[in-house]
Amino acid sequence: MTKTIAIPPLTDELAGVLIDAETIDRRVTVLADQINRDYAGITEPLILVGVLKGSFIFLSDLCRKLTIPHVIDFISVSSYGAGTNTSGNVRLLMDTRENQEGHHVLIVEDILDSGYTLDYLDRNFKTRGTKSVKNCVLLDKPTRHVVNVDIAYLGFEVPDVWVVGYGLDVGEKYRTLPYIAEYRSQEA
Ligand code: PRP
């Protein structure tokens, strides 16, 4: 039986699909395979730390493709507030629940923009007695980097446009689109 998946249509606010759902799924599988290989044989579960809110869909798909022992945790930080430009002043809004001491940590992010968030998180987790701290980033906007961040596992590079869907939002809209789309501001 053919499975029919309803794809939400583009609206006037969305300029077009940048990365479709099948392409995302294939890439997430590749990333999970790499992670399974790299962490094969670990003695303590890998702690996946999803950065709220944007990473929640990526993390959900990624972790279900992992075959290594792992646990899920979340952290919430903010550098944007309600605006669209990062302040560079990253604030910890909600900390993790797991103790990372003696564990490998993999920070899971939806997007790397200025790099302030991942730079902060990387330095923060390295102070927690972790065995290692790496990151897995779905989208990277290389032209926007302000601070240098090494990406361990990368999904896609994207141009400097406003991207929504698959966890990413504009004013909390479009997070649950199954694809990544370009948002077109309605402001003149
Ligand atoms: C976004 C995104 C990353 C961060 C990346 O979070 O999810 O966490 O910004 O930007 P940076 O590299 O410039 O630091 P946002 O503050 O929009 O929150 P959200 O994930 O809850 O939408």
Side-chain angles (χ1 to χ4, degrees):
M1 196 173 77
T2 309
K3 196 171 157 194
T4 307
I5 301 171
I7 299 175
L10 293 171
T11 69
D12 287 347
E13 289 185 330
L14 301 180
V17 175
L18 286 180
I19 310 169
D20 64 43
E22 278 186 7
T23 305
I24 295 172
D25 183 61
R26 279 199 302 273
R27 189 67 196 146
V28 174
T29 301
V30 169
L31 294 177
D33 288 347
Q34 288 174 357
I35 294 166
N36 285 329
R37 278 198 302 276
D38 291 353
Y39 291 93
I42 53 171
T43 50
E44 301 291 335
L46 173 67
I47 300 184
L48 299 173
V49 179
V51 185
L52 294 171
K53 298 179 191 174
S55 72
F56 80 108
I57 292 178
F58 177 39
L59 175 64
S60 306
D61 285 346
L62 183 74
C63 69
R64 286 177 293 168
K65 295 177 189 284
L66 293 182
T67 52
I68 50 163
H70 62 277
V71 296
I72 305 297
D73 208 346
F74 291 98
I75 196 165
S76 180
V77 293
S78 178
S79 64
Y80 280 77
T84 56
N85 282 311
T86 180
S87 61
N89 181 20
V90 180
R91 288 182 303 129
L92 183 60
L93 302 180
M94 186 198 83
D95 207 347
T96 52
R97 289 173 68 171
E98 303 299 320
N99 180 358
Q100 295 91 24
E101 199 172 341
H103 287 259
H104 296 283
V105 166
L106 186 62
I107 303 166
V108 180
E109 258 288 29
D110 56 341
I111 190 163
L112 175 61
D113 194 307
S114 69
Y116 284 126
T117 303
L118 265 179
D119 178 58
Y120 167 85
L121 290 173
D122 183 61
R123 286 186 288 110
N124 186 307
F125 281 111
K126 281 178 176 162
T127 67
R128 300 185 184 202
T130 45
K131 274 188 179 162
S132 72
V133 180
K134 293 208 287 187
N135 58 60
C136 180
V137 179
L138 181 69
L139 305 177
D140 181 29
K141 276 186 183 174
T143 56
R144 297 267 304 174
H145 293 184
V146 178
V147 291
N148 183 50
V149 173
D150 290 329
I151 302 177
Y153 305 96
L154 173 65
F156 307 93
E157 279 190 6
V158 289
D160 185 13
V161 297
W162 198 333
V163 284
V164 295
Y166 201 71
L168 294 115
D169 74 310
V170 53
E172 296 304 322
K173 275 174 78 177
Y174 301 119
R175 276 199 204 276
T176 56
L177 287 177
Y179 47 79
I180 308 279
E182 178 182 347
Y183 174 76
R184 180 165 41 198
S185 173
Q186 301 299 293
E187 290 166 21

